[in-house]
Amino acid sequence: MGTNRPTGSLYTKIENRTATIEFGHPASNSFVSELLDRLTDELKNISSNEAVSIVVLKSEGDRAFCAGASFDELLEISTPVEGTTFFSGFANVINAMRECVHPIIGRAQGKAVGGGVGLIAACDYVFASEAASIRLSELSIGIAPLVIEPAVQRKIGMAGFAELALSPTEWKNAYWAQEKGLYSKVFSSIKEMDKELDFFMSTLASYNPEALRAIKKVLWEDTASWSELLTKRAEISGKLALSPSSKEKLNSLKK
């Protein structure tokens, strides 16, 4: 059963050199700013933990993996500074994932939207169920997927990113995501996925930690500029959220 806390939940379990980070929120595992900040801090802590060799990133429940950033908080943006701060949440998490010295294995049990797709793209290897469809809905709500673009484009190429970003109301299924390189493996059920994930993690944890860190470093070569790049993207996104057309669209979507 998922959390009912309005600020979400975040738990970490360390066992057999594996740190399992599980996040949750009652709104389809979406992220409020506080939860993004907590995840960023946790990733930094795990990165410096010598008892850890690998990381699993997962979400609560058996439905959505992640619905992206909080829509309620997006509606509340009223100044450029607030906009930059809001969009910096996912920028900080992606950079923390990039800078983490341990390989991060994603577990996507269900649908991912917007920033949730960015989280998946920032993982180094991803297990997914057939239910894990993806969508970049940003254009349909008056903004653009700028902060997560570097991570998504790095995995599926610019053509794949364009196909997602320019069709914001269209879901792409898990096999499309696997074909493009976003998912490493896709399974017919969550049970089957978790069985294979457990075996994979057990095997990976037995490998030389120094070799795993070396692989992680190679996987993220030539991304040092992202610290500055994602901050700039957050600033642009914040301004977009304040534009009259975006505000009109966002207000029309209020329940």
Short mmCIF file of all heavy atoms in Angstrom, two decimals, residues 121-162:
data_model
loop_
_atom_site.label_atom_id
_atom_site.label_comp_id
_atom_site.label_asym_id
_atom_site.label_seq_id
_atom_site.Cartn_x
_atom_site.Cartn_y
_atom_site.Cartn_z
N ALA A 121 15.70 7.68 -17.55
CA ALA A 121 16.81 7.90 -18.48
C ALA A 121 18.13 8.11 -17.75
O ALA A 121 19.20 7.80 -18.30
CB ALA A 121 16.51 9.11 -19.36
N ALA A 122 18.08 8.62 -16.53
CA ALA A 122 19.30 8.86 -15.76
C ALA A 122 19.80 7.61 -15.04
O ALA A 122 20.88 7.64 -14.44
CB ALA A 122 19.08 9.99 -14.76
N CYS A 123 19.03 6.53 -15.10
CA CYS A 123 19.50 5.25 -14.56
C CYS A 123 20.49 4.64 -15.55
O CYS A 123 20.48 4.94 -16.75
CB CYS A 123 18.34 4.30 -14.34
SG CYS A 123 17.22 4.76 -12.99
N ASP A 124 21.33 3.74 -15.06
CA ASP A 124 22.35 3.13 -15.92
C ASP A 124 21.87 1.84 -16.58
O ASP A 124 22.44 1.40 -17.58
CB ASP A 124 23.61 2.86 -15.09
CG ASP A 124 24.17 4.14 -14.50
OD1 ASP A 124 24.53 5.04 -15.29
OD2 ASP A 124 24.23 4.26 -13.26
N TYR A 125 20.82 1.25 -16.03
CA TYR A 125 20.27 0.00 -16.55
C TYR A 125 18.86 -0.06 -15.99
O TYR A 125 18.65 0.27 -14.82
CB TYR A 125 21.12 -1.18 -16.05
CG TYR A 125 20.96 -2.48 -16.78
CD1 TYR A 125 21.87 -2.87 -17.75
CD2 TYR A 125 19.91 -3.35 -16.48
CE1 TYR A 125 21.75 -4.10 -18.41
CE2 TYR A 125 19.78 -4.58 -17.13
CZ TYR A 125 20.71 -4.95 -18.09
OH TYR A 125 20.59 -6.17 -18.75
N VAL A 126 17.89 -0.46 -16.80
CA VAL A 126 16.50 -0.38 -16.35
C VAL A 126 15.72 -1.66 -16.65
O VAL A 126 15.70 -2.13 -17.79
CB VAL A 126 15.77 0.82 -16.99
CG1 VAL A 126 14.32 0.89 -16.52
CG2 VAL A 126 16.50 2.13 -16.68
N PHE A 127 15.08 -2.18 -15.60
CA PHE A 127 14.13 -3.28 -15.73
C PHE A 127 12.73 -2.66 -15.77
O PHE A 127 12.43 -1.74 -15.01
CB PHE A 127 14.21 -4.22 -14.52
CG PHE A 127 15.39 -5.15 -14.54
CD1 PHE A 127 16.68 -4.67 -14.35
CD2 PHE A 127 15.21 -6.51 -14.74
CE1 PHE A 127 17.77 -5.52 -14.36
CE2 PHE A 127 16.29 -7.38 -14.76
CZ PHE A 127 17.58 -6.88 -14.58
N ALA A 128 11.87 -3.15 -16.66
CA ALA A 128 10.53 -2.60 -16.79
C ALA A 128 9.51 -3.71 -17.03
O ALA A 128 9.84 -4.76 -17.59
CB ALA A 128 10.48 -1.59 -17.94
N SER A 129 8.29 -3.44 -16.64
CA SER A 129 7.19 -4.34 -16.95
C SER A 129 6.51 -3.85 -18.22
O SER A 129 6.72 -2.71 -18.66
CB SER A 129 6.18 -4.39 -15.80
OG SER A 129 5.37 -3.23 -15.81
N GLU A 130 5.67 -4.68 -18.80
CA GLU A 130 4.94 -4.29 -20.01
C GLU A 130 4.05 -3.08 -19.77
O GLU A 130 3.69 -2.38 -20.71
CB GLU A 130 4.10 -5.46 -20.52
CG GLU A 130 4.90 -6.57 -21.18
CD GLU A 130 4.01 -7.65 -21.76
OE1 GLU A 130 2.80 -7.68 -21.40
OE2 GLU A 130 4.49 -8.45 -22.57
N ALA A 131 3.69 -2.84 -18.51
CA ALA A 131 2.80 -1.73 -18.18
C ALA A 131 3.52 -0.38 -18.15
O ALA A 131 2.89 0.66 -18.00
CB ALA A 131 2.13 -1.98 -16.83
N ALA A 132 4.85 -0.40 -18.30
CA ALA A 132 5.65 0.82 -18.13
C ALA A 132 5.70 1.66 -19.40
O ALA A 132 6.77 1.89 -19.98
CB ALA A 132 7.04 0.46 -17.65
N SER A 133 4.55 2.15 -19.84
CA SER A 133 4.49 3.06 -20.98
C SER A 133 5.04 4.43 -20.57
O SER A 133 5.07 4.77 -19.38
CB SER A 133 3.05 3.22 -21.47
OG SER A 133 2.52 1.97 -21.86
N ILE A 134 5.45 5.23 -21.55
CA ILE A 134 6.04 6.53 -21.25
C ILE A 134 5.42 7.63 -22.10
O ILE A 134 4.90 7.38 -23.19
CB ILE A 134 7.57 6.53 -21.46
CG1 ILE A 134 7.91 6.18 -22.92
CG2 ILE A 134 8.24 5.55 -20.51
CD1 ILE A 134 9.39 6.33 -23.26
N ARG A 135 5.49 8.85 -21.56
CA ARG A 135 4.95 10.00 -22.30
C ARG A 135 5.61 11.27 -21.79
O ARG A 135 5.81 11.43 -20.58
CB ARG A 135 3.43 10.09 -22.10
CG ARG A 135 2.75 11.24 -22.80
CD ARG A 135 1.25 10.99 -22.91
NE ARG A 135 0.59 10.95 -21.62
CZ ARG A 135 -0.11 11.97 -21.11
NH1 ARG A 135 -0.24 13.10 -21.77
NH2 ARG A 135 -0.71 11.85 -19.94
N LEU A 136 5.97 12.17 -22.69
CA LEU A 136 6.44 13.50 -22.32
C LEU A 136 5.29 14.47 -22.61
O LEU A 136 5.07 14.86 -23.75
CB LEU A 136 7.69 13.89 -23.11
CG LEU A 136 8.95 13.07 -22.83
CD1 LEU A 136 10.14 13.62 -23.61
CD2 LEU A 136 9.28 13.06 -21.33
N SER A 137 4.55 14.82 -21.57
CA SER A 137 3.31 15.58 -21.74
C SER A 137 3.51 17.09 -21.68
O SER A 137 2.54 17.85 -21.81
CB SER A 137 2.33 15.18 -20.63
OG SER A 137 2.89 15.47 -19.35
N GLU A 138 4.74 17.56 -21.53
CA GLU A 138 4.99 18.97 -21.23
C GLU A 138 4.38 19.95 -22.23
O GLU A 138 3.75 20.95 -21.83
CB GLU A 138 6.50 19.22 -21.12
CG GLU A 138 7.10 18.72 -19.81
CD GLU A 138 7.50 17.25 -19.84
OE1 GLU A 138 7.06 16.54 -20.78
OE2 GLU A 138 8.23 16.81 -18.95
N LEU A 139 4.54 19.72 -23.52
CA LEU A 139 4.00 20.66 -24.51
C LEU A 139 2.49 20.81 -24.38
O LEU A 139 1.94 21.90 -24.60
CB LEU A 139 4.36 20.22 -25.93
CG LEU A 139 5.79 20.50 -26.41
CD1 LEU A 139 5.97 19.98 -27.83
CD2 LEU A 139 6.11 21.99 -26.35
N SER A 140 1.82 19.75 -23.99
CA SER A 140 0.36 19.79 -23.88
C SER A 140 -0.11 20.63 -22.71
O SER A 140 -1.30 20.97 -22.63
CB SER A 140 -0.20 18.37 -23.78
OG SER A 140 0.15 17.78 -22.54
N ILE A 141 0.79 20.96 -21.77
CA ILE A 141 0.40 21.80 -20.63
C ILE A 141 1.10 23.15 -20.67
O ILE A 141 1.16 23.88 -19.67
CB ILE A 141 0.64 21.10 -19.28
CG1 ILE A 141 2.12 20.74 -19.10
CG2 ILE A 141 -0.22 19.86 -19.16
CD1 ILE A 141 2.44 20.19 -17.70
N GLY A 142 1.70 23.48 -21.81
CA GLY A 142 2.24 24.81 -22.00
C GLY A 142 3.70 25.02 -21.68
O GLY A 142 4.19 26.15 -21.72
N ILE A 143 4.42 23.94 -21.34
CA ILE A 143 5.85 24.06 -21.07
C ILE A 143 6.61 23.13 -22.02
O ILE A 143 6.07 22.74 -23.04
CB ILE A 143 6.17 23.75 -19.58
CG1 ILE A 143 5.62 22.37 -19.18
CG2 ILE A 143 5.58 24.83 -18.68
CD1 ILE A 143 5.98 21.96 -17.76
N ALA A 144 7.86 22.80 -21.69
CA ALA A 144 8.65 21.93 -22.56
C ALA A 144 9.59 21.07 -21.71
O ALA A 144 10.03 21.52 -20.65
CB ALA A 144 9.46 22.76 -23.55
N PRO A 145 9.91 19.86 -22.16
CA PRO A 145 10.77 18.95 -21.38
C PRO A 145 12.25 19.29 -21.54
O PRO A 145 13.03 18.50 -22.06
CB PRO A 145 10.42 17.58 -21.95
CG PRO A 145 10.09 17.87 -23.38
CD PRO A 145 9.38 19.19 -23.37
N LEU A 146 12.63 20.47 -21.10
CA LEU A 146 13.99 20.94 -21.33
C LEU A 146 15.01 20.40 -20.34
O LEU A 146 16.14 20.07 -20.71
CB LEU A 146 14.02 22.48 -21.29
CG LEU A 146 13.07 23.21 -22.24
CD1 LEU A 146 13.24 24.72 -22.10
CD2 LEU A 146 13.33 22.77 -23.68
N VAL A 147 14.62 20.32 -19.07
CA VAL A 147 15.56 19.87 -18.03
C VAL A 147 15.95 18.41 -18.23
O VAL A 147 17.12 18.03 -18.08
CB VAL A 147 14.97 20.09 -16.63
CG1 VAL A 147 15.85 19.43 -15.56
CG2 VAL A 147 14.83 21.58 -16.33
N ILE A 148 14.99 17.59 -18.59
CA ILE A 148 15.27 16.16 -18.73
C ILE A 148 15.81 15.79 -20.11
O ILE A 148 16.26 14.66 -20.31
CB ILE A 148 14.02 15.31 -18.41
CG1 ILE A 148 12.92 15.58 -19.44
CG2 ILE A 148 13.53 15.57 -16.99
CD1 ILE A 148 11.75 14.62 -19.34
N GLU A 149 15.76 16.73 -21.05
CA GLU A 149 16.17 16.41 -22.42
C GLU A 149 17.57 15.80 -22.52
O GLU A 149 17.75 14.79 -23.23
CB GLU A 149 16.08 17.67 -23.29
CG GLU A 149 16.53 17.45 -24.74
CD GLU A 149 18.04 17.60 -24.95
OE1 GLU A 149 18.66 18.39 -24.21
OE2 GLU A 149 18.59 16.91 -25.83
N PRO A 150 18.60 16.36 -21.84
CA PRO A 150 19.93 15.77 -21.99
C PRO A 150 19.98 14.29 -21.58
O PRO A 150 20.62 13.48 -22.25
CB PRO A 150 20.81 16.62 -21.06
CG PRO A 150 20.11 17.95 -21.03
CD PRO A 150 18.66 17.60 -21.03
N ALA A 151 19.28 13.94 -20.50
CA ALA A 151 19.28 12.55 -20.05
C ALA A 151 18.52 11.65 -21.01
O ALA A 151 18.97 10.54 -21.34
CB ALA A 151 18.67 12.47 -18.64
N VAL A 152 17.37 12.11 -21.47
CA VAL A 152 16.56 11.30 -22.40
C VAL A 152 17.25 11.17 -23.74
O VAL A 152 17.33 10.08 -24.32
CB VAL A 152 15.15 11.91 -22.55
CG1 VAL A 152 14.33 11.09 -23.56
CG2 VAL A 152 14.43 11.97 -21.21
N GLN A 153 17.76 12.27 -24.25
CA GLN A 153 18.42 12.26 -25.56
C GLN A 153 19.68 11.39 -25.54
O GLN A 153 20.00 10.72 -26.52
CB GLN A 153 18.77 13.69 -25.97
CG GLN A 153 19.18 13.83 -27.42
CD GLN A 153 20.70 13.90 -27.55
OE1 GLN A 153 21.30 13.09 -28.25
NE2 GLN A 153 21.32 14.87 -26.91
N ARG A 154 20.38 11.39 -24.40
CA ARG A 154 21.57 10.55 -24.25
C ARG A 154 21.23 9.07 -24.42
O ARG A 154 22.03 8.29 -24.94
CB ARG A 154 22.20 10.80 -22.87
CG ARG A 154 23.29 9.85 -22.45
CD ARG A 154 23.83 10.25 -21.07
NE ARG A 154 24.64 9.18 -20.50
CZ ARG A 154 24.16 8.21 -19.74
NH1 ARG A 154 22.86 8.17 -19.47
NH2 ARG A 154 24.96 7.28 -19.25
N LYS A 155 20.03 8.68 -24.00
CA LYS A 155 19.63 7.27 -24.08
C LYS A 155 18.98 6.91 -25.41
O LYS A 155 19.27 5.85 -25.99
CB LYS A 155 18.65 6.94 -22.93
CG LYS A 155 19.31 6.65 -21.59
CD LYS A 155 20.08 5.34 -21.63
CE LYS A 155 20.69 4.99 -20.28
NZ LYS A 155 19.66 4.59 -19.29
N ILE A 156 18.10 7.75 -25.93
CA ILE A 156 17.32 7.35 -27.10
C ILE A 156 17.61 8.18 -28.35
O ILE A 156 16.99 7.97 -29.38
CB ILE A 156 15.81 7.38 -26.80
CG1 ILE A 156 15.30 8.82 -26.63
CG2 ILE A 156 15.49 6.56 -25.55
CD1 ILE A 156 13.78 8.90 -26.47
N GLY A 157 18.56 9.12 -28.26
CA GLY A 157 18.92 9.92 -29.42
C GLY A 157 17.96 11.08 -29.62
O GLY A 157 16.86 11.11 -29.06
N MET A 158 18.36 12.02 -30.44
CA MET A 158 17.53 13.20 -30.68
C MET A 158 16.25 12.86 -31.43
O MET A 158 15.19 13.45 -31.18
CB MET A 158 18.32 14.26 -31.45
CG MET A 158 17.59 15.59 -31.56
SD MET A 158 17.10 16.27 -29.95
CE MET A 158 18.68 16.93 -29.37
N ALA A 159 16.32 11.90 -32.35
CA ALA A 159 15.12 11.53 -33.09
C ALA A 159 14.07 10.93 -32.16
O ALA A 159 12.88 11.23 -32.26
CB ALA A 159 15.47 10.54 -34.21
N GLY A 160 14.53 10.07 -31.25
CA GLY A 160 13.61 9.46 -30.29
C GLY A 160 13.03 10.50 -29.35
O GLY A 160 11.83 10.47 -29.03
N PHE A 161 13.88 11.42 -28.89
CA PHE A 161 13.40 12.48 -28.02
C PHE A 161 12.36 13.34 -28.73
O PHE A 161 11.32 13.68 -28.16
CB PHE A 161 14.56 13.36 -27.54
CG PHE A 161 14.11 14.57 -26.77
CD1 PHE A 161 13.68 14.45 -25.47
CD2 PHE A 161 14.11 15.83 -27.37
CE1 PHE A 161 13.23 15.56 -24.76
CE2 PHE A 161 13.67 16.94 -26.68
CZ PHE A 161 13.24 16.81 -25.36
N ALA A 162 12.62 13.68 -29.99
CA ALA A 162 11.68 14.49 -30.75
C ALA A 162 10.35 13.78 -30.90
O ALA A 162 9.27 14.40 -30.81
CB ALA A 162 12.27 14.82 -32.13
#
